Amino acid sequence: MIIAVALLISCVPEKEYKPILSYANTPEGNFEAFWNGIDQNYVFFNQDSTDWDKIYRFYKPMVNSKTTPEQLFYIFGNMMRPLIDHHKELRADGLGNINVISYGYTQTHRIDTNLIFVSLSYLDNNDRMYLYGSAGNEDQIEMAIGKIKNHNILYWKVDFYGDALVNSTNRAAQIQNFDNYLRTSYQSVNGLILDLRYNGGGDAREFASITSRFISSDYQWGYSQIRLQADRHTMSPMIPETVKANSTSFVNKKVVVLVNRYSFSAPEVTTMALGSLPNVTVIGDTTGGATGPYIPQLDDTDALKEYTFGYYLPNKWYVQLAQKVTYDINKTNYEGRGYPPDIRVVTDKTLLDNNIDNQLEAAISVINSGK
């Protein structure tokens, strides 16, 4: 029995924290680089129940000098799948990507794009405005805001987090027009609905731009941690996360944040930040569970280099991981499980087919009730 235990332990590599690209470009070398890369960089070992050593012992015998790239890609995908990091991704040229959202998740919580059109149909045609993205997306609507027909309520739909509200020279006029609209409307409406449903994330700077408009002073909304050492469980102390207030903030009136299972990443952090404000109610379904941000730092040549939340394998496949652990103000982490709404309302497909958005209707009711 002692010999068996010794052999079992020996199947797991010792802590050799050598550069990932120093491994041989062979099936075996890429396996070691892949496993060690996650072992050295993954930030959720304190929250994740996955036994990463067991993963090594199970899959290592499957890889040898004759393992094909297709087989290796399949093995790596299976190795990553149990990890709770919802920003994890494997990109293999010619073989595709293993993405954050699995096919099973897609089928269970399938996007119904009709909801976007139905929601926008609630807006008064004579009192709305659109915000556009830049950097090649000048014709792509990133946000819409307007008054809801027959209700004294503002509706703000954010389709994705681009740069519509990120300060820059070419965005200045649009941002000023938006803030003027928000400031003027604020005086008369009963409340505002911020719709983050079917928003897969994007530019983290947009999180601060949006959140800043709902606070009147600089605001600590949560905490974060980064990994400090080679040891899997050694993390930094809790780092306060704050947002600076915007002078045109929408405060002291009722706000509803709408989310669903396809609200990912930056919209989730927005929801976490706003959810603790006394005038905010979160309605819809639990968010997707990708609260740990990923911020790429490749240089202009897309050079093969290593950094702590994504790395290249010797065969030039790329492994993406979240950068840090994010917590709300109560030091609760929602990675892999999602942020729960205050009031759970699941989309009613039958109503939606009849151009009725029951989640939006619930938000309207909450604001009109004044509760």
Side-chain angles (χ1 to χ4, degrees):
M1 183 179 295
I2 294 174
I3 293 174
V5 171
L7 288 174
L8 186 61
I9 294 174
S10 68
C11 288
V12 178
E14 296 181 3
K15 299 290 183 180
E16 296 180 9
Y17 291 94
K18 61 181 182 179
I20 301 303
L21 293 179
S22 66
Y23 288 91
N25 187 14
T26 62
E28 300 97 320
N30 281 293
F31 178 89
E32 296 294 335
F34 177 80
W35 187 90
N36 277 284
I38 292 178
D39 189 62
Q40 294 170 202
N41 295 297
Y42 189 60
V43 297
F44 295 110
F45 278 120
N46 288 334
Q47 291 81 24
D48 198 332
S49 62
T50 303
D51 187 335
W52 195 235
D53 293 326
K54 184 177 180 180
I55 294 288
Y56 183 93
R57 292 192 295 266
F58 183 82
Y59 287 99
K60 173 64 175 175
M62 300 182 187
V63 180
N64 55 55
S65 61
K66 296 182 180 180
T67 302
T68 66
E70 291 78 10
Q71 291 170 332
L72 199 63
F73 183 67
Y74 178 78
I75 290 170
F76 288 175
N78 285 335
M79 291 172 69
M80 289 185 82
R81 194 158 285 114
L83 299 175
I84 65 170
D85 181 354
H86 265 31
H87 275 103
K88 64 181 182 288
E89 185 173 358
L90 174 63
R91 305 172 196 164
D93 291 341
L95 295 177
N97 298 353
I98 294 175
N99 296 314
V100 174
I101 306 175
S102 68
Y103 177 77
Y105 185 101
T106 304
Q107 291 302 101
T108 303
H109 307 287
R110 188 168 60 87
I111 292 179
D112 195 324
T113 54
N114 187 45
L115 179 129
I116 297 172
F117 299 107
V118 170
S119 300
L120 290 179
S121 72
Y122 277 72
L123 293 184
D124 184 339
N125 291 329
N126 299 315
D127 195 350
R128 66 167 74 184
M129 69 177 297
Y130 298 99
L131 282 75
Y132 297 83
S134 63
N137 294 317
E138 290 85 355
D139 296 328
Q140 186 171 3
I141 296 175
E142 184 177 318
M143 300 181 186
I145 188 168
K147 293 277 188 71
I148 294 180
K149 289 181 287 189
N150 304 318
H151 294 280
N152 197 23
I153 297 171
L154 269 182
Y155 173 81
W156 180 3
K157 170 64 180 174
V158 184
D159 199 35
F160 66 98
Y161 278 48
D163 63 356
L165 289 180
V166 175
N167 284 316
S168 64
T169 303
N170 65 327
R171 317 258 25 95
Q174 174 171 280
I175 294 172
Q176 185 63 54
N177 289 338
F178 173 80
D179 282 334
N180 288 340
Y181 180 89
L182 191 62
R183 187 187 302 110
T184 302
S185 300
Y186 170 77
Q187 304 301 321
S188 60
V189 298
N190 297 327
L192 179 146
I193 298 168
L194 177 64
D195 192 345
L196 302 179
R197 294 174 295 174
Y198 298 124
N199 187 319
D203 194 328
R205 294 175 300 171
E206 197 92 283
F207 153 73
S209 296
I210 293 172
T211 305
S212 69
R213 286 164 169 79
F214 294 90
I215 54 178
S216 57
S217 60
D218 294 356
Y219 169 58
Q220 182 186 340
W221 57 267
Y223 300 87
S224 66
Q225 284 184 302
I226 59 174
R227 207 171 141 170
L228 292 181
Q229 297 181 12
D231 179 76
R232 296 173 185 170
H233 303 287
T234 303
M235 303 294 290
S236 71
M238 289 286 185
I239 303 168
E241 293 283 351
T242 61
V243 173
K244 291 186 177 297
N246 184 294
S247 59
T248 59
S249 56
F250 192 96
V251 297
N252 300 325
K253 290 192 177 182
K254 192 67 182 176
V255 172
V256 170
V257 179
L258 280 177
V259 290
N260 62 9
R261 293 297 289 167
Y262 272 92
S263 301
F264 278 101
S265 195
E268 293 185 88
V269 181
T270 303
T271 307
M272 288 168 55
L274 297 180
S276 61
L277 294 174
N279 62 319
V280 174
T281 301
V282 180
I283 293 178
D285 204 350
T286 304
T287 63
T291 58
Y294 170 75
I295 305 173
Q297 292 185 348
L298 295 177
D299 63 24
D300 293 337
T301 62
D302 200 33
L304 301 183
K305 64 180 183 179
E306 299 171 64
Y307 40 97
T308 58
F309 39 92
Y311 58 93
Y312 281 95
L313 300 176
N315 63 2
K316 299 185 181 180
W317 293 359
Y318 181 71
V319 181
Q320 172 182 298
L321 298 170
Q323 177 189 7
K324 59 184 178 180
V325 184
T326 304
Y327 304 86
D328 68 3
I329 196 63
N330 298 313
K331 298 183 179 179
T332 302
N333 172 254
Y334 297 96
E335 190 71 27
R337 56 195 181 99
Y339 186 86
D342 298 310
I343 302 174
R344 187 171 186 266
V345 179
V346 180
T347 298
D348 187 316
K349 186 67 165 58
T350 301
L351 290 175
L352 193 62
D353 289 341
N354 288 283
N355 296 320
I356 299 173
D357 182 347
N358 65 305
Q359 291 178 321
L360 182 54
E361 293 283 354
I364 292 171
S365 296
V366 166
I367 290 180
N368 284 338
S369 71
K371 298 179 180 178

